[in-house]
Every structure is written in structure tokens, then in C-alpha cells.
Amino acid sequence: LKGICHAVPRDFAPDPLRHTANDFKMNSGTVRGIVARWTRRCVLDPLLRLTISVEASLTDARFVRRQQLPADLSSRILFYPAVAIERLNRGLGDRRQDLLFDRYADLNLVHYGPSGRGYQAVAGSDSSERLRRYRGQSSRLEYFMDCFPELLNFNNGDSFLEFGCGTGQNIRVLAERFPASRITGFDLNQDAINLVRECEDHDGLVLTRGDITLEDSRRSALAGGVDHVVMCHTFSLLFGRSRLATEQLRLNILFDLVTAVRKTVVVIDTFSGVERPKIRIEQKQRGIVSDDLLRYFVKLQNGRAYTVHSDRSQAVVFVKDALGLPEI
Ligand SMILES: C[S@@+](CC[C@H](N)C(=O)[O-])C[C@H]1O[C@@H](n2cnc3c(N)ncnc32)[C@H](O)[C@@H]1O
């Protein structure tokens, strides 16, 4: 900003005798705006148009050949470089994804571990602050409970298990609405579990620390069966050391859930329509995976899966045996 101010005509320069601080802000804002518009129009847009035009020619060269359409000379010349670039891009993209999976498979555990950033603020706070935090939390599950009660089929007396319950955002709502239910919270992080244990006085509350990606830990939580399993913004954190390992792990987890559950599995998260899991960096020590969750359920039997939306999330609801619910 300083550099820009020095370069503008004298009238725009701050003069404490003639200009107020607001004048200066407005003027330098205007200059910044002019420079930004000029840079966009004269530098960025032409560069972007050039890359789009190159990409269009390469894509078209592949398209023409694959569809066996009549090809002009430039299309014929471009075909081989176009295929080479496509393969290189795909190869590099896949390799980069696998390296990210490998990196974040460890780092996510650190993020939610004892000294990770995940629950840094929870451990140190005093008891009134902890209670305020617990009671002030909002639940993403609540919206789906209110809007899709027939689909979720939650009833007082049913048993619930939330994998990745965190500080009990959903546990609090389940406890309030279903006083006769057994509600189990399961999470990796001890500080989060301690907060729920301290602040929630529901009679049927059970809390367990564990890692859902470990078969023994997951199966022992599911032993004996449960009416409803909930997973809320946790599925996107579950992945293996590669794309392939992630697909297998996710299928194994969902298989165990649909096998053990008696009524519904509710997975709330942000999903994508891409066919294969894709990881992105969200924080230094937290990677997030999105993929098309419904396709896993296609491979799983004994029920039907539905997708429903809120303004903040999506949910895939698997209904065991789905008696009385419409075909999809
Ligand atoms: C984004 S928080 C979601 C918390 C809560 N369910 C909600 O709706 O706000 C994700 C939670 O999943 C837990 N988590 C992450 N990986 C886990 C794993 N492998 N096993 C068990 N819990 C895990 C984290 O400790 C964290 O509490």
C-alpha cells in the first residue's frame, strides 16, 4: 500500500493539513481499486484466456480422435501431446493424493490427540466455562431429527451410539429428547469425552475412548447391537494411507455399522459426487476426505440408503430393511 501511495499524484498523498484520515483511506482505496482492475484486465484475464484456449484445443484434439470425428491438421498434431499431458496430469494428481493420504493418516491423529489443536481450548477451562460451552453447542443432527422424523425413526427407549461424538453436540440433544434411552458416545479424544462426562447427567450415558478405524475398537463398541448409529462430521476424517486403502477402510467401517445396527445409520457430513475419495488440506494437521458415500451403500445389503440435506450439511440415512419406506 505504501508503495502505491508513493507512486500516485501529489493530490492523493496524505497531507495532515488538508486531508482527514478517512480521505486518505478512500483515496488509497480508489488507487488500489484502479491498479487491481488494470492488473486484472491487462494481465490476469489475458493469461487465463490463453490457458483456457490451450486447454480447449488439447481437450478437443482428444475428443475428436476418440469420437472418430473428421480431424483438421492442428487437431491431428495436438492429439499425442494432449494424451501425454492428460496422463501426466492424472499420474501426478493420483500420486499427490496418495502422498496426502499418507501424510494426514498420521496428522489427523495428532490433531485430535492429547496435545493437538482439535480440543486445545477444552482441557484448560474451568468448570463453569465448560458447562457453558457444553450447553451452548449447536447440534447438526437436530435439524435432521426435526425435518425427517419418519426416516430417522428415533424413539424414546431406543439405543444410540455416536462415533466421533466430540464434546457432545448431538449427545446433549439426544439426552434431552430421549430420557429412557441408552446413549453411547465414542471418540478418540479424552478431553472431549471428559467434558461430556462432566456436563451431561443423562442416566443412560456411556462414554468410550477409541479409534473407529481400528476393527477391534469399533467392533467392541458395536457388540450386542444398537438401534441407531450416528456419525456427524467424522466420516470425512476417516481414511487410510492411500486412496485404495481409504476405500477399503470406509467400506469395512460401513459394513460393520449396517451389520450391527437394528434401525438406522445416520452419517452427516459434506459429501461429493466424485467417484473416488479425494483428500484436501484443511489445516496443517487436518486433512478432509470427500467422496460419494451412496456408492458404498450400493454394495451393502439389508436396507436402503437415502440422501437428505440441511443448509450446513448432507446426511446419508441407511434404514435397515426399510420396511414401509418408498423405493428409490
Ligand atoms: C469435527 S468433530 C465432530 C464432532 C461432533 N460429532 C459434531 O457433530 O460436531 C470430529 C470428531 O471425530 C473424532 N474422531 C476423529 N477421528 C476419529 C477416529 N478415528 N475415531 C474416533 N473418533 C474420531 C474427533 O476426535 C472429533 O471429536
Side-chain angles (χ1 to χ4, degrees):
L1 179 63
K2 253 192 197 157
I4 292 168
C5 283
H6 287 156
V8 298
R10 204 178 143 58
D11 267 3
F12 285 110
D15 177 346
L17 295 175
R18 290 174 47 217
H19 296 275
T20 64
N22 269 349
D23 288 340
F24 173 53
K25 260 194 219 149
M26 244 172 60
N27 288 337
S28 59
T30 314
V31 172
R32 230 179 349 174
I34 291 169
V35 173
R37 276 197 296 281
W38 181 87
T39 311
R40 196 179 58 213
R41 205 173 41 239
C42 300
V43 183
L44 284 180
D45 285 0
L47 268 177
L48 288 174
R49 284 202 185 93
L50 179 69
T51 61
I52 290 169
S53 148
V54 171
E55 190 187 335
S57 303
L58 293 171
T59 305
D60 191 66
R62 291 192 298 263
F63 182 83
V64 163
R65 175 70 164 252
R66 284 168 188 164
Q67 298 294 318
Q68 298 176 341
L69 301 173
D72 59 17
L73 182 64
S74 74
S75 182
R76 263 180 266 144
I77 293 172
L78 282 178
F79 175 69
Y80 290 104
V83 168
I85 290 169
E86 183 185 49
R87 285 191 187 153
L88 186 68
N89 271 343
R90 197 181 308 138
L92 286 178
D94 285 351
R95 187 68 199 130
R96 182 174 182 279
Q97 278 289 307
D98 276 348
L99 292 175
L100 282 174
F101 277 114
D102 189 45
R103 179 185 171 93
Y104 281 95
D106 290 330
L107 287 180
N108 269 14
L109 298 180
V110 174
H111 181 89
Y112 285 113
S115 51
R117 188 188 278 174
Y119 290 107
Q120 221 169 30
V122 172
S125 50
D126 64 34
S127 57
S128 63
E129 171 60 29
R130 289 159 75 77
L131 195 59
R132 196 146 48 85
R133 175 185 170 133
Y134 181 72
R135 293 196 178 145
Q137 304 182 107
S138 73
S139 156
R140 295 178 180 104
L141 175 65
E142 194 169 18
Y143 172 90
F144 295 101
M145 289 164 72
D146 289 340
C147 295
F148 306 100
E150 296 84 9
L151 192 60
L152 267 57
N153 195 17
F154 287 2
N155 294 299
N156 192 20
D158 287 356
S159 54
F160 296 88
L161 165 57
E162 183 178 5
F163 280 114
C165 64
T167 49
Q169 292 89 336
N170 304 315
I171 299 272
R172 191 182 57 80
V173 173
L174 291 171
E176 223 169 71
R177 296 196 185 187
F178 305 121
S181 288
R182 198 179 74 140
I183 300 170
T184 305
F186 177 107
D187 202 280
L188 203 55
N189 187 283
Q190 191 63 53
D191 292 324
I193 285 180
N194 289 347
L195 183 98
V196 185
R197 182 168 288 131
E198 199 178 302
C199 301
E200 180 54 64
D201 52 14
H202 185 274
D203 285 340
L205 182 67
V206 180
L207 292 162
T208 311
R209 202 188 86 80
D211 182 344
I212 188 182
T213 62
L214 304 177
E215 193 175 275
D216 288 349
S217 180
R218 171 172 87 235
R219 289 196 175 168
S220 88
L222 289 165
V226 61
D227 292 319
H228 307 277
V229 169
V230 174
M231 234 194 293
C232 185
H233 283 251
T234 297
F235 198 70
S236 49
L237 301 168
L238 309 178
F239 50 87
R241 293 196 166 277
S242 67
R243 236 179 195 171
L244 206 61
T246 298
E247 287 178 310
Q248 194 54 54
L249 173 72
R250 293 181 148 216
L251 193 58
N252 291 347
I253 292 174
L254 292 175
F255 176 81
D256 285 350
L257 302 192
V258 304
T259 305
V261 85
R262 283 186 285 269
K263 292 186 173 177
T264 62
V265 176
V266 183
V267 185
I268 301 169
D269 225 308
T270 43
F271 307 116
S272 80
V274 294
E275 283 233 330
R276 304 200 62 196
K278 190 167 180 197
I279 184 167
R280 69 176 169 83
I281 302 171
E282 195 235 26
Q283 297 177 39
K284 196 171 169 195
Q285 294 184 330
R286 194 171 118 127
I288 294 214
V289 172
S290 57
D291 75 46
D292 175 10
L293 195 66
L294 274 181
R295 81 195 163 91
Y296 294 101
F297 285 100
V298 169
K299 299 182 187 168
L300 303 167
Q301 305 293 315
N302 303 334
R304 287 194 200 125
Y306 299 79
T307 315
V308 283
H309 295 251
S310 76
D311 55 351
R312 291 195 285 171
S313 309
Q314 289 166 277
V316 170
V317 181
F318 173 83
V319 184
K320 190 88 174 249
D321 298 327
L323 293 174
L325 283 165
E327 284 279 349
I328 49 167

